[in-house]
Amino acid sequence: IFPNPANSNITVSLSQSLKGDFSITDITGREVYKEKVNSDNIQVNVANLPVGYYTLSIVSGTKMVHSKIMIVR
Protein backbone atom coordinates (compact mmCIF):
# COMPACT_ATOMS: atom_id res chain seq x y z
CA ILE A 1 0.00 0.00 0.00
CA PHE A 2 1.51 3.28 -1.02
CA PRO A 3 1.86 6.05 -0.25
CA ASN A 4 1.38 5.62 3.48
CA PRO A 5 0.62 8.10 4.92
CA ALA A 6 -1.60 9.23 2.04
CA ASN A 7 -3.48 12.43 1.27
CA SER A 8 -5.39 11.93 -2.00
CA ASN A 9 -4.88 8.50 -3.63
CA ILE A 10 -3.61 5.11 -2.55
CA THR A 11 -2.47 2.12 -4.55
CA VAL A 12 -2.76 -1.41 -3.20
CA SER A 13 -0.40 -3.73 -5.05
CA LEU A 14 -0.96 -7.46 -4.48
CA SER A 15 1.38 -10.36 -5.26
CA GLN A 16 -1.39 -12.08 -7.24
CA SER A 17 -4.71 -11.18 -8.79
CA LEU A 18 -7.61 -11.61 -6.36
CA LYS A 19 -11.36 -11.63 -6.87
CA GLY A 20 -13.26 -10.45 -3.84
CA ASP A 21 -14.29 -7.50 -1.68
CA PHE A 22 -12.10 -4.53 -0.76
CA SER A 23 -13.15 -2.23 2.07
CA ILE A 24 -11.86 0.61 4.21
CA THR A 25 -13.08 1.09 7.80
CA ASP A 26 -12.39 3.94 10.20
CA ILE A 27 -11.18 3.50 13.79
CA THR A 28 -14.76 3.14 15.04
CA GLY A 29 -15.32 0.17 12.70
CA ARG A 30 -17.60 2.09 10.32
CA GLU A 31 -17.17 1.06 6.69
CA VAL A 32 -16.31 4.19 4.67
CA TYR A 33 -15.49 2.57 1.30
CA LYS A 34 -16.27 -0.72 -0.42
CA GLU A 35 -15.81 -2.16 -3.90
CA LYS A 36 -15.57 -5.49 -5.69
CA VAL A 37 -12.08 -6.27 -6.99
CA ASN A 38 -10.71 -8.63 -9.60
CA SER A 39 -7.12 -7.47 -9.97
CA ASP A 40 -3.64 -7.35 -8.46
CA ASN A 41 -3.64 -3.54 -8.40
CA ILE A 42 -6.30 -1.42 -6.66
CA GLN A 43 -6.37 2.40 -6.83
CA VAL A 44 -8.59 4.39 -4.47
CA ASN A 45 -9.23 8.12 -4.15
CA VAL A 46 -9.12 8.87 -0.40
CA ALA A 47 -9.23 12.68 -0.70
CA ASN A 48 -12.77 12.77 0.75
CA LEU A 49 -11.85 10.81 3.90
CA PRO A 50 -11.12 12.76 7.09
CA VAL A 51 -7.59 12.74 8.52
CA GLY A 52 -6.99 9.65 10.66
CA TYR A 53 -6.19 5.95 10.77
CA TYR A 54 -8.05 3.39 8.68
CA THR A 55 -8.02 -0.38 8.16
CA LEU A 56 -7.99 -1.80 4.65
CA SER A 57 -9.44 -5.28 4.19
CA ILE A 58 -9.51 -7.65 1.25
CA VAL A 59 -11.65 -10.79 1.47
CA SER A 60 -11.34 -13.40 -1.27
CA GLY A 61 -12.91 -16.78 -0.60
CA THR A 62 -11.22 -18.06 2.55
CA LYS A 63 -8.36 -15.54 2.34
CA MET A 64 -8.50 -12.32 4.34
CA VAL A 65 -5.87 -9.57 4.42
CA HIS A 66 -5.86 -6.49 6.68
CA SER A 67 -3.54 -3.50 6.67
CA LYS A 68 -3.51 -0.05 8.25
CA ILE A 69 -3.18 3.30 6.54
CA MET A 70 -3.02 6.89 7.74
CA ILE A 71 -4.68 9.78 5.91
CA VAL A 72 -2.97 13.17 6.33
CA ARG A 73 -3.29 16.63 4.76
Side-chain angles (χ1 to χ4, degrees):
I1 300 168
F2 59 92
N4 191 6
N7 61 16
S8 60
N9 292 298
I10 60 168
T11 300
V12 180
S13 184
L14 305 170
S15 60
Q16 64 185 28
S17 183
L18 289 178
K19 182 176 182 178
D21 297 310
F22 172 78
S23 64
I24 301 175
T25 55
D26 65 15
I27 60 170
T28 66
R30 184 175 59 99
E31 189 172 78
V32 296
Y33 182 85
K34 185 171 187 170
E35 76 170 283
K36 296 278 187 195
V37 295
N38 188 11
S39 175
D40 63 348
N41 195 9
I42 305 163
Q43 296 205 4
V44 181
N45 181 338
V46 295
N48 62 336
L49 295 179
V51 169
Y53 289 95
Y54 294 86
T55 300
L56 309 179
S57 300
I58 300 172
V59 178
S60 177
T62 59
K63 296 179 184 179
M64 184 180 290
V65 178
H66 298 286
S67 188
K68 300 215 181 282
I69 190 164
M70 182 176 171
I71 306 297
V72 296
R73 301 284 181 254

